Amino acid sequence: QVQLVESGGGLVQPGGSLRLSCTVSGIAFRIYVMGWYRQAPGKQRELVAISGSGSRITYADSVKGRFTISRDNAKNMVYLQMNSLKPEDTAVYYCTARAPNEYWGQGTQVTVSS
């Protein structure tokens, strides 16, 4: 059974930081493209960051320079370090395994507010 479980969300003030974690089981993690997406209220789900099985990483323009995706293939985990958070970063953040098959976690809420 494939499972992706996110953790680390919460309430943070503007300018603050959070680190999201995603624990993955049931897939050959090392070969998968892993990523983070987010969905704000009333908006479509959007890409935040993608990490390929090699060193290729892609970020949304809105998070470049503030967010960092990383993965630990030995622990089957993927992380999203979020710095300099803004109110517009408020969303449910989803961990996803994108290829060769597609799987999603249940999401974790991130709220940036003073």
Side-chain angles (χ1 to χ4, degrees), residues 42-60:
K43 295 188 177 182
Q44 291 188 330
R45 192 172 295 188
E46 64 176 4
L47 169 71
V48 176
I50 284 283
S51 172
S53 56
S55 59
R56 184 172 181 177
I57 292 177
T58 301
Y59 293 100

mmCIF file of all heavy atoms in Angstrom, residues 42-60:
data_model
loop_
_atom_site.group_PDB
_atom_site.id
_atom_site.type_symbol
_atom_site.label_atom_id
_atom_site.label_comp_id
_atom_site.label_asym_id
_atom_site.label_seq_id
_atom_site.Cartn_x
_atom_site.Cartn_y
_atom_site.Cartn_z
ATOM 1 N N GLY A 42 -10.270 28.592 -2.949
ATOM 2 C CA GLY A 42 -10.793 29.188 -4.160
ATOM 3 C C GLY A 42 -9.858 29.186 -5.351
ATOM 4 O O GLY A 42 -10.182 29.768 -6.391
ATOM 5 N N LYS A 43 -8.701 28.540 -5.203
ATOM 6 C CA LYS A 43 -7.716 28.514 -6.285
ATOM 7 C C LYS A 43 -7.399 27.076 -6.692
ATOM 8 O O LYS A 43 -7.668 26.135 -5.951
ATOM 9 C CB LYS A 43 -6.437 29.233 -5.858
ATOM 10 C CG LYS A 43 -6.622 30.721 -5.617
ATOM 11 C CD LYS A 43 -5.284 31.393 -5.383
ATOM 12 C CE LYS A 43 -5.456 32.888 -5.211
ATOM 13 N NZ LYS A 43 -4.142 33.579 -5.014
ATOM 14 N N GLN A 44 -6.807 26.952 -7.882
ATOM 15 C CA GLN A 44 -6.394 25.637 -8.350
ATOM 16 C C GLN A 44 -5.115 25.198 -7.651
ATOM 17 O O GLN A 44 -4.321 26.032 -7.194
ATOM 18 C CB GLN A 44 -6.174 25.668 -9.868
ATOM 19 C CG GLN A 44 -7.450 25.828 -10.674
ATOM 20 C CD GLN A 44 -7.200 25.667 -12.165
ATOM 21 O OE1 GLN A 44 -6.123 25.980 -12.660
ATOM 22 N NE2 GLN A 44 -8.196 25.171 -12.881
ATOM 23 N N ARG A 45 -4.941 23.895 -7.603
ATOM 24 C CA ARG A 45 -3.705 23.352 -7.050
ATOM 25 C C ARG A 45 -2.555 23.756 -7.970
ATOM 26 O O ARG A 45 -2.674 23.690 -9.196
ATOM 27 C CB ARG A 45 -3.802 21.840 -6.938
ATOM 28 C CG ARG A 45 -2.710 21.209 -6.125
ATOM 29 C CD ARG A 45 -2.977 19.724 -5.901
ATOM 30 N NE ARG A 45 -4.177 19.519 -5.087
ATOM 31 C CZ ARG A 45 -4.541 18.330 -4.613
ATOM 32 N NH1 ARG A 45 -3.802 17.251 -4.855
ATOM 33 N NH2 ARG A 45 -5.641 18.205 -3.899
ATOM 34 N N GLU A 46 -1.437 24.172 -7.370
ATOM 35 C CA GLU A 46 -0.304 24.647 -8.157
ATOM 36 C C GLU A 46 0.995 24.018 -7.684
ATOM 37 O O GLU A 46 1.150 23.678 -6.506
ATOM 38 C CB GLU A 46 -0.191 26.174 -8.081
ATOM 39 C CG GLU A 46 0.102 26.716 -6.697
ATOM 40 C CD GLU A 46 0.296 28.222 -6.676
ATOM 41 O OE1 GLU A 46 0.133 28.878 -7.724
ATOM 42 O OE2 GLU A 46 0.629 28.744 -5.594
ATOM 43 N N LEU A 47 1.920 23.937 -8.623
ATOM 44 C CA LEU A 47 3.246 23.407 -8.308
ATOM 45 C C LEU A 47 3.998 24.350 -7.389
ATOM 46 O O LEU A 47 3.979 25.570 -7.577
ATOM 47 C CB LEU A 47 4.046 23.231 -9.602
ATOM 48 C CG LEU A 47 5.540 22.937 -9.443
ATOM 49 C CD1 LEU A 47 5.741 21.535 -8.917
ATOM 50 C CD2 LEU A 47 6.269 23.130 -10.769
ATOM 51 N N VAL A 48 4.668 23.784 -6.387
ATOM 52 C CA VAL A 48 5.577 24.553 -5.549
ATOM 53 C C VAL A 48 7.019 24.189 -5.910
ATOM 54 O O VAL A 48 7.834 25.057 -6.226
ATOM 55 C CB VAL A 48 5.330 24.284 -4.054
ATOM 56 C CG1 VAL A 48 6.369 25.021 -3.207
ATOM 57 C CG2 VAL A 48 3.910 24.693 -3.666
ATOM 58 N N ALA A 49 7.330 22.910 -5.872
ATOM 59 C CA ALA A 49 8.692 22.470 -6.168
ATOM 60 C C ALA A 49 8.686 20.996 -6.536
ATOM 61 O O ALA A 49 7.857 20.228 -6.036
ATOM 62 C CB ALA A 49 9.612 22.700 -4.976
ATOM 63 N N ILE A 50 9.615 20.636 -7.418
ATOM 64 C CA ILE A 50 9.744 19.259 -7.871
ATOM 65 C C ILE A 50 11.208 18.847 -7.772
ATOM 66 O O ILE A 50 12.091 19.627 -8.164
ATOM 67 C CB ILE A 50 9.257 19.116 -9.322
ATOM 68 C CG1 ILE A 50 7.738 19.121 -9.384
ATOM 69 C CG2 ILE A 50 9.801 17.848 -9.969
ATOM 70 C CD1 ILE A 50 7.066 17.850 -8.981
ATOM 71 N N SER A 51 11.444 17.636 -7.285
ATOM 72 C CA SER A 51 12.797 17.096 -7.222
ATOM 73 C C SER A 51 12.843 15.779 -7.978
ATOM 74 O O SER A 51 12.167 14.821 -7.602
ATOM 75 C CB SER A 51 13.206 16.869 -5.763
ATOM 76 O OG SER A 51 14.442 16.177 -5.699
ATOM 77 N N GLY A 52 13.629 15.728 -9.033
ATOM 78 C CA GLY A 52 13.774 14.513 -9.801
ATOM 79 C C GLY A 52 14.649 13.494 -9.088
ATOM 80 O O GLY A 52 15.228 13.779 -8.047
ATOM 81 N N SER A 53 14.719 12.325 -9.672
ATOM 82 C CA SER A 53 15.522 11.280 -9.065
ATOM 83 C C SER A 53 17.004 11.601 -9.142
ATOM 84 O O SER A 53 17.796 11.085 -8.378
ATOM 85 C CB SER A 53 15.246 9.929 -9.727
ATOM 86 O OG SER A 53 15.480 10.022 -11.114
ATOM 87 N N GLY A 54 17.386 12.492 -10.050
ATOM 88 C CA GLY A 54 18.754 12.978 -10.099
ATOM 89 C C GLY A 54 18.864 14.259 -9.313
ATOM 90 O O GLY A 54 18.309 14.388 -8.233
ATOM 91 N N SER A 55 19.518 15.256 -9.856
ATOM 92 C CA SER A 55 19.702 16.512 -9.134
ATOM 93 C C SER A 55 18.826 17.633 -9.669
ATOM 94 O O SER A 55 18.921 18.764 -9.221
ATOM 95 C CB SER A 55 21.168 16.933 -9.209
ATOM 96 O OG SER A 55 21.555 17.089 -10.557
ATOM 97 N N ARG A 56 17.973 17.309 -10.630
ATOM 98 C CA ARG A 56 17.164 18.356 -11.245
ATOM 99 C C ARG A 56 16.052 18.808 -10.304
ATOM 100 O O ARG A 56 15.290 17.987 -9.804
ATOM 101 C CB ARG A 56 16.555 17.854 -12.548
ATOM 102 C CG ARG A 56 15.789 18.929 -13.293
ATOM 103 C CD ARG A 56 15.364 18.435 -14.661
ATOM 104 N NE ARG A 56 14.640 19.466 -15.409
ATOM 105 C CZ ARG A 56 14.217 19.314 -16.649
ATOM 106 N NH1 ARG A 56 14.433 18.185 -17.281
ATOM 107 N NH2 ARG A 56 13.566 20.288 -17.257
ATOM 108 N N ILE A 57 15.956 20.106 -10.079
ATOM 109 C CA ILE A 57 14.944 20.690 -9.203
ATOM 110 C C ILE A 57 14.293 21.860 -9.906
ATOM 111 O O ILE A 57 14.964 22.651 -10.569
ATOM 112 C CB ILE A 57 15.567 21.151 -7.865
ATOM 113 C CG1 ILE A 57 16.030 19.936 -7.053
ATOM 114 C CG2 ILE A 57 14.574 21.972 -7.065
ATOM 115 C CD1 ILE A 57 16.721 20.296 -5.751
ATOM 116 N N THR A 58 12.989 21.962 -9.758
ATOM 117 C CA THR A 58 12.222 23.053 -10.342
ATOM 118 C C THR A 58 11.386 23.710 -9.258
ATOM 119 O O THR A 58 10.768 23.009 -8.446
ATOM 120 C CB THR A 58 11.304 22.535 -11.460
ATOM 121 O OG1 THR A 58 12.101 21.917 -12.477
ATOM 122 C CG2 THR A 58 10.504 23.668 -12.076
ATOM 123 N N TYR A 59 11.366 25.044 -9.247
ATOM 124 C CA TYR A 59 10.558 25.806 -8.301
ATOM 125 C C TYR A 59 9.583 26.702 -9.051
ATOM 126 O O TYR A 59 9.882 27.198 -10.139
ATOM 127 C CB TYR A 59 11.439 26.697 -7.424
ATOM 128 C CG TYR A 59 12.343 25.961 -6.472
ATOM 129 C CD1 TYR A 59 13.689 25.757 -6.769
ATOM 130 C CD2 TYR A 59 11.854 25.463 -5.277
ATOM 131 C CE1 TYR A 59 14.526 25.081 -5.905
ATOM 132 C CE2 TYR A 59 12.682 24.776 -4.391
ATOM 133 C CZ TYR A 59 14.011 24.589 -4.717
ATOM 134 O OH TYR A 59 14.832 23.913 -3.853
ATOM 135 N N ALA A 60 8.439 26.932 -8.419
ATOM 136 C CA ALA A 60 7.552 27.973 -8.910
ATOM 137 C C ALA A 60 8.239 29.321 -8.727
ATOM 138 O O ALA A 60 8.973 29.530 -7.751
ATOM 139 C CB ALA A 60 6.242 27.942 -8.133
#
